[in-house]
């Protein structure tokens, strides 16, 4: 059995090549006798500012003298234990025949990963995407940032790669296990970087994600799958409670199995599904604003006076201010930029992103509150969507119809006064003075007034120093969940419909959405026979 070694510590100036010698010492072996090993986890211990170090966990292949190694380990500072890493195994394929290829709706993380694993097993899936290929999408996004027109089908939220393509490239995930590891392996294989397999907070950057997305798409195509761009699902064809096909902007697509990976902002699609009687329920979601600060301030708080950013990169943070409704940081973008996270003409909201170098002079982070269902003010299942739209419309109108970003200094917000001079910001399309209190629900406003001073005291007055607030930040999660059976992962009301990812209310981030797509692909695989095996 393999051995896991935890709590291996290296100083910031110690080269990582020395890790092998530390592992051998911890196991009581010579460097030459150390079996093959690989990294499982790497993190930064920043609890003591003048004694920062990296902490490693490694997996060592079977040792010839395991009892002696384990006995020696009891006297050391490292934790050493037998460990069998759970293997990722796809289920045996099912026997139920398919009359058409399965269709995946959406090419975000959930849809692409589901499509890849179905293609790998021989199901020849058809992936339909309402937006454009990622290369064309990047051109449209850059044109919009420069002041060009808004394209409702090719923007920061719609197009190949989904919203995750322009969301900083964070690959953190609360879950763990073989499915999470397999997803990260796929990303690393597809032009990601090997460190995402072991970094505590893996990050690719919005400039690297397009290459990953394109590489996964090409694998799907090489395995017999098909990707159809500029193909928006407009209706679903159901007969006797079963999927029969899809009406799309490019014509009718017959399908008895559909994996629905629409993303958290396809509001027109949610409305259509609701009209068709697909079971869905309201759920709590996150709403707030985004705070922007000088990155140097964050570095000094996190690293101390020594300029460790040259070794460690731009510092980030995770913060919570407890209260009646907790205020917490969300999608913190170190060395990043504020972006217009817009998917509908006439509405405005913000998000953040950063490139792989994280070299912007600004840091930004969402500061959000969880809005409970009872606060929606309406019993209708789409009331949360309408709540988002109400404040996004206000922000758009305040921005004079030009997608300018409402902005206010943090201190002015707390004092209830308007900021008279537009402060510096990374936002690309121009700014407009605003009272952010008018652009968030009352519950969020109260939580900000309560929580911001708490966070500022925690940073000894530096959290709000030179900080500005922009918003609203309303797309942190979907306010709807499509109901599915926990075992089959199939919609409880439509046979053959498999809701997956953030848009279905079952994920929150790139990796968790991708894992949800993988697990639904596994469920389909376990039930149906691959097309290439049909006789």
């Amino acid at each position: 059995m393999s051995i896991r070694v935890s709590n291996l510590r290296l100083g910031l100036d110690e080269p990582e090549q020395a890790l092998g010698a530390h592992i051998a010492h911890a196991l009581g072996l010579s460097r030459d006798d150390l079996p093959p090993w690989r990294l499982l986890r790497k993190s930064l211990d920043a609890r003591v500012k003048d004694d920062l170090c990296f902490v490693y966990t490694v997996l060592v292949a079977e040792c010839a003298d395991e009892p002696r190694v384990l006995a020696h380990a009891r006297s050391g500072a490292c934790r050493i234990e037998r460990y069998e890493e759970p293997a990722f195994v796809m289920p045996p394929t099912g026997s139920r025949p398919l009359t058409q290829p399965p269709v995946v709706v959406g090419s975000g993380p959930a849809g692409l990963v589901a499509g890849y694993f179905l293609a790998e097993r021989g199901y020849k899936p058809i992936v339909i995407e309402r937006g454009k290929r990622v290369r064309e999408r990047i051109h449209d996004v850059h044109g919009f940032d420069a002041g060009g027109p808004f394209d409702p089908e090719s923007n920061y939220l719609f197009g190949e790669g989904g919203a995750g393509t322009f969301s900083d490239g964070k690959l953190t995930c609360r879950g763990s296990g073989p499915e999470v590891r397999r997803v990260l392996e796929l990303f690393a294989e597809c032009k990601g970087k090997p460190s995402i397999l072991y970094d505590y907070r893996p990050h690719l950057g919005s400039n690297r994600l397009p290459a990953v997305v394109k590489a996964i798409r090409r694998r799907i195509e090489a395995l017999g799958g098909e990707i159809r761009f500029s193909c928006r699902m407009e209706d679903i064809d159901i007969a006797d409670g079963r999927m029969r096909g899809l009406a799309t902007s490019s014509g009718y697509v017959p399908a008895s199995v559909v994996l629905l990976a629409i993303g958290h902002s396809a509001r027109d699609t949610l409305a259509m599904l609701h009209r068709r009687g697909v079971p869905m329920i309201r759920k709590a979601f996150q709403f707030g604003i985004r705070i922007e600060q000088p990155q140097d301030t964050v570095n000094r708080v996190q690293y101390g006076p020594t300029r460790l950013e040259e070794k460690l990169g731009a510092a980030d943070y995770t913060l919570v201010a407890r209260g009646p409704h907790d205020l917490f940081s969300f999608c913190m973008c170190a060395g990043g930029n504020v972006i217009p996270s817009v998917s509908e003409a006439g509405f405005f909201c913000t998000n953040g992103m950063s490139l792989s170098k994280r070299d912007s002079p600004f840091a930004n982070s969402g500061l959000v509150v969880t809005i409970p269902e009872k606060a929606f003010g309406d019993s209708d299942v789409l009331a949360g969507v309408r709540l988002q739209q109400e404040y996004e419309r206000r922000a758009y109108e305040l921005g004079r119809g030009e997608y300018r970003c409402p902005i206010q200094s943090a201190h002015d917000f707390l004092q209830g006064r308007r900021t008279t001079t537009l402060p510096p910001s990374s936002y690309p399309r121009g700014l407009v003075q605003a009272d952010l209190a008018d652009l968030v629900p009352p519950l969020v406003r109260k939580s900000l007034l309560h929580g911001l001073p708490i966070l500022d005291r925690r940073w000894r007055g530096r959290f709000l120093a030179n900080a500005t607030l922009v918003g609203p930040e309303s797309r942190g999660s979907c306010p709807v969940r499509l109901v599915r059976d926990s075992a089959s992962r199939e919609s409880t009301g439509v046979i053959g419909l498999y809701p997956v990812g953030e848009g279905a209310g079952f994920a929150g981030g790139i990796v968790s959405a991708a894992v949800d797509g993988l697990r639904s692909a596994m469920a389909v695989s376990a039930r149906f026979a691959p097309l290439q095996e049909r006789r």
Side-chain angles (χ1 to χ4, degrees):
M1 182 177 290
S2 300
I3 291 176
R4 182 169 60 183
V5 185
S6 308
N7 201 36
L8 287 158
R9 307 174 80 82
L10 292 183
L12 299 187
D13 294 322
E14 194 168 2
E16 203 162 84
Q17 291 84 347
L19 193 54
H22 284 265
I23 299 169
H25 177 75
L27 297 176
L29 301 172
S30 70
R31 183 66 179 85
D32 292 338
D33 291 335
L34 181 65
W37 58 273
R38 64 181 174 87
L39 279 174
L40 292 179
R41 181 60 62 93
K42 174 184 177 181
S43 60
L44 177 70
D45 186 346
R47 290 173 295 178
V48 181
K49 294 293 187 288
D50 58 356
D51 189 27
L52 275 69
C53 65
F54 289 112
V55 182
Y56 297 85
T57 299
V58 303
L59 187 66
V60 181
E62 293 184 12
C63 294
D65 193 2
E66 184 182 287
R68 183 184 65 80
V69 167
L70 293 173
H72 170 80
R74 295 192 184 98
S75 62
C78 298
R79 181 180 179 183
I80 300 174
E81 57 195 337
R82 293 186 180 95
Y83 181 71
E84 190 68 38
E85 190 172 32
F88 171 75
V89 180
M90 285 289 284
T93 55
S95 58
R96 188 173 300 185
L98 281 170
T99 55
Q100 303 98 11
V103 174
V104 180
V105 181
S107 68
L112 278 177
V113 169
Y116 169 75
F117 283 99
L118 287 173
E120 189 180 51
R121 303 301 295 278
Y123 291 89
K124 300 181 180 179
I126 298 171
V127 180
I128 66 172
E129 165 58 52
R130 66 188 297 167
K132 300 178 183 178
R133 296 173 184 267
V134 70
R135 184 173 181 178
E136 300 168 72
R137 182 185 177 198
I138 291 171
H139 180 269
D140 292 338
V141 165
H142 288 170
F144 180 61
D145 282 348
F150 172 71
D151 186 337
E153 302 297 340
S154 182
N155 48 62
Y156 274 107
L157 296 175
F158 293 158
E160 185 179 16
T165 303
F166 298 100
S167 66
D168 191 53
K170 293 183 185 68
L171 300 181
T172 50
C173 181
R174 293 181 181 178
S176 60
E179 288 94 355
V180 174
R181 188 177 71 252
R182 183 66 190 98
V183 163
L184 292 175
E185 288 172 349
L186 176 63
F187 290 167
E189 294 163 6
C190 293
K191 301 196 176 183
K193 50 187 179 182
S195 61
I196 66 176
L197 297 174
Y198 55 79
D199 275 346
Y200 176 62
R201 291 184 176 179
H203 170 261
L204 282 176
S206 296
N207 55 320
R208 295 190 66 146
L209 277 167
V212 175
V213 167
K214 187 189 301 183
I216 297 175
R217 180 236 298 168
R218 287 178 172 172
R219 284 194 174 198
I220 293 172
E221 292 172 331
L223 291 165
E226 180 185 354
I227 317 288
R228 301 180 184 177
F229 293 104
S230 299
C231 181
R232 183 182 62 253
M233 180 180 71
E234 297 180 335
D235 207 346
I236 57 175
D237 182 9
I238 305 170
D240 299 323
R242 294 177 177 271
M243 281 301 309
R244 192 166 63 178
L246 304 174
T248 80
S249 58
S250 301
Y252 185 80
V253 181
S256 59
V257 172
V258 174
L259 284 78
L260 202 59
I262 59 176
H264 61 41
S265 291
R267 293 165 171 169
D268 51 355
T269 305
L270 285 174
M272 178 274 291
L273 295 171
H274 182 48
R275 291 194 302 271
R276 290 288 177 246
V278 175
M280 59 181 70
I281 59 174
R282 307 191 310 174
K283 77 171 186 66
F285 69 102
Q286 282 70 54
F287 200 117
I289 51 87
R290 186 157 286 266
I291 188 168
E292 188 166 42
Q293 302 143 311
Q295 180 61 49
D296 187 65
T297 299
V298 181
N299 292 341
R300 301 286 67 78
V301 170
Q302 299 297 72
Y303 295 151
T306 307
R307 301 193 68 80
L308 295 174
E309 52 267 38
E310 297 175 5
K311 296 179 180 179
L312 303 177
D316 60 11
Y317 57 78
T318 302
L319 296 170
V320 180
R322 302 295 180 188
H325 297 278
D326 292 347
L327 178 72
F328 55 94
S329 59
F330 166 80
C331 187
M332 193 278 159
C333 299
N337 301 285
V338 175
I339 60 173
S341 190
V342 180
S343 63
E344 297 172 278
F347 298 88
F348 178 83
C349 58
T350 60
N351 196 5
M353 60 169 277
S354 64
L355 305 180
S356 56
K357 291 184 179 181
R358 289 181 162 177
D359 55 359
S360 163
F362 296 96
N364 68 78
S365 176
L367 292 177
V368 299
V369 177
T370 299
I371 306 287
E373 298 96 314
K374 63 182 180 182
F376 291 1
D378 193 322
S379 60
D380 183 75
V381 71
L382 298 178
V385 172
R386 288 197 297 275
L387 183 66
Q388 290 175 322
Q389 290 176 315
E390 175 186 347
Y391 292 97
E392 290 176 15
R393 186 182 294 108
R394 291 186 191 182
Y396 173 79
E397 292 171 351
L398 188 65
R400 304 168 193 169
E402 298 176 0
Y403 299 98
R404 297 185 182 185
C405 183
I407 191 168
Q408 184 177 23
S409 85
H411 287 297
D412 286 345
F413 173 82
L414 290 176
Q415 295 299 319
R417 63 190 179 215
R418 187 172 290 249
T419 299
T420 56
T421 303
L422 290 176
S425 172
S426 64
Y427 182 78
R429 282 187 61 105
L431 306 168
V432 61
Q433 297 162 346
D435 184 351
L436 268 294
D438 294 334
L439 301 181
V440 296
L443 182 152
V444 176
R445 182 176 67 251
K446 291 178 182 178
S447 296
L448 287 166
L449 293 172
H450 172 78
L452 285 173
I454 294 175
L455 299 180
D456 197 45
R457 288 194 295 271
R458 196 171 299 167
W459 277 25
R460 299 181 180 179
R462 289 182 286 180
F463 188 73
L464 300 183
N466 301 312
T468 56
L469 306 180
V470 297
E473 179 91 359
S474 53
R475 305 290 183 94
S477 58
C478 186
V480 172
R481 173 169 290 131
L482 304 184
V483 184
R484 71 185 184 193
D485 181 83
S486 59
S488 70
R489 304 178 69 84
E490 195 173 34
S491 167
T492 57
V494 183
I495 296 171
L497 185 64
Y498 293 80
V500 300
E502 286 200 41
F506 292 101
I510 292 173
V511 175
S512 63
V515 169
D516 200 60
L518 166 58
R519 289 172 177 165
S520 289
M522 293 169 72
V524 170
S525 177
R527 188 174 187 182
F528 297 98
L531 293 180
Q532 65 185 17
E533 293 182 7
R534 290 169 55 211
R535 294 179 174 86

